[in-house]
Amino acid sequence: MPDDRTSSLDPASPEFQARRAAARRELDAIDPAMQSDAQADPLRRAWFEAVYARAENDPARVPWANLVPHPLTKSWIGLQARGIAGLRVLDVGCGLGDNAECFARAGAAVTAFDLVPAAVAWAQDRFPQTKVTYCAADVFAAPEAWRHGFDLVHECYTLQALAVELLPKALATLRSLLAPGGRLLLVARARDEDTQESGPPWPLPPSIFAEAERQGLTPLAIEDIATTAEITRRHWRALLARSEDL
Ligand SMILES: C[S@@+](CC[C@H](N)C(=O)[O-])C[C@H]1O[C@@H](n2cnc3c(N)ncnc32)[C@H](O)[C@@H]1O
């Protein structure tokens, strides 16, 4: 952990940004997805574990940790006329927990999980009074008890961190976690179909929604959000329902 906590834990500070940039270089150098390694584990489990282990409790060294809820998630919660109090919410790939905590503050009953146990432990450490149920789990091996168990499944930046060949199965799994009438809220970076962007992360093309339909998820709303001062890249924010419910 850096010495000067006041300034250096501010994601906007130059110190924080410098540590993040250095970590990013180191992490890219060991990311199998950056090496075209044919033998690589498509889940990149070892890499995600390395991110949290190498960070040594410095959030600047976790490339996606901004220590606040994602603005598109937070504003979506604020837009729900009937609120989300009492909803059973599952946060997928929760990282350091800011999004999960945002749902919990709005009164939802939140379960949040991450592939990496160290991420879960860190989130619990950051929020000692939490009402969120945190646990370590792989979305591709989700506990059977979660099946059809959630009114809202939220994923922010986890699909875009997955190898493209894993996306159909990931979508099918997220669908299987929805209770009847449940919704999937997706927040991800966006790209045009015909532009390639090197990754990871891999911004999602519009065809992700056709794939979602094939996996039994019908989009109810797809927002294509342009770059703003707050959101520095184009994003999707989409709400999907189980096709059989419509
Ligand atoms: C890009 S980060 C986003 C974290 C968080 N959602 C956020 O917005 O800050 C992706 C997270 O998904 C987790 N993850 C990757 N593969 C996963 C899997 N198969 N199952 C569950 N979590 C996974 C990673 O460990 C990482 O914490």
Side-chain angles (χ1 to χ4, degrees), residues 42-44 48 139-140 158-164 166-167 170 202:
L43 270 185
R44 295 161 64 232
F48 283 112
V139 71
F140 297 107
T158 301
L159 288 179
Q160 68 181 37
L162 298 177
V164 66
L166 296 177
L167 292 178
W202 295 280

Side-chain angles (χ1 to χ4, degrees), residues 151-175:
D151 305 303
L152 182 70
V153 172
H154 169 255
E155 93 77 22
C156 176
Y157 288 2
T158 301
L159 288 179
Q160 68 181 37
L162 298 177
V164 66
E165 65 265 28
L166 296 177
L167 292 178
K169 190 173 176 197
L171 289 164
T173 302
L174 298 184
R175 181 197 156 282

Side-chain angles (χ1 to χ4, degrees), residues 163-215:
V164 66
E165 65 265 28
L166 296 177
L167 292 178
K169 190 173 176 197
L171 289 164
T173 302
L174 298 184
R175 181 197 156 282
S176 76
L177 300 172
L178 292 175
R183 302 285 186 261
L184 169 63
L185 177 62
L186 177 158
V187 173
R189 280 172 49 187
R191 70 168 171 87
D192 288 330
E193 202 65 48
D194 52 1
T195 54
Q196 287 300 327
E197 289 192 32
S198 60
W202 295 280
L204 302 177
S207 58
I208 190 68
F209 300 110
E211 185 58 49
E213 287 265 21
R214 284 193 285 279
Q215 302 305 327

Side-chain angles (χ1 to χ4, degrees), residues 43 48 52 64-65 91-95 99 113-116 119 137-140 156-158 161-162:
L43 270 185
F48 283 112
Y52 291 104
W64 43 83
D91 188 33
V92 178
C94 62
N99 293 324
F113 73 99
D114 200 282
L115 183 64
V116 180
D138 175 0
V139 71
F140 297 107
C156 176
Y157 288 2
T158 301
L162 298 177

Side-chain angles (χ1 to χ4, degrees), residues 32-47:
M34 296 274 190
Q35 328 299 329
S36 312
D37 180 352
Q39 303 301 314
D41 170 13
L43 270 185
R44 295 161 64 232
R45 180 191 289 269
W47 184 79

Side-chain angles (χ1 to χ4, degrees), residues 56-133:
E56 296 182 326
N57 285 328
D58 179 1
R61 299 182 59 79
V62 178
W64 43 83
N66 291 323
L67 309 180
V68 289
H70 194 288
L72 293 177
T73 297
K74 187 177 175 186
S75 60
W76 184 87
I77 294 171
L79 286 167
Q80 302 316 297
R82 282 183 285 176
I84 61 160
L87 291 189
R88 297 164 296 173
V89 172
L90 181 69
D91 188 33
V92 178
C94 62
L96 299 191
D98 295 278
N99 293 324
E101 295 294 328
C102 190
F103 283 109
R105 280 194 296 276
V110 184
T111 302
F113 73 99
D114 200 282
L115 183 64
V116 180
V120 171
W122 193 343
Q124 288 170 316
D125 198 45
R126 288 185 65 218
F127 301 104
Q129 309 296 327
T130 189
K131 293 192 171 130
V132 174
T133 301

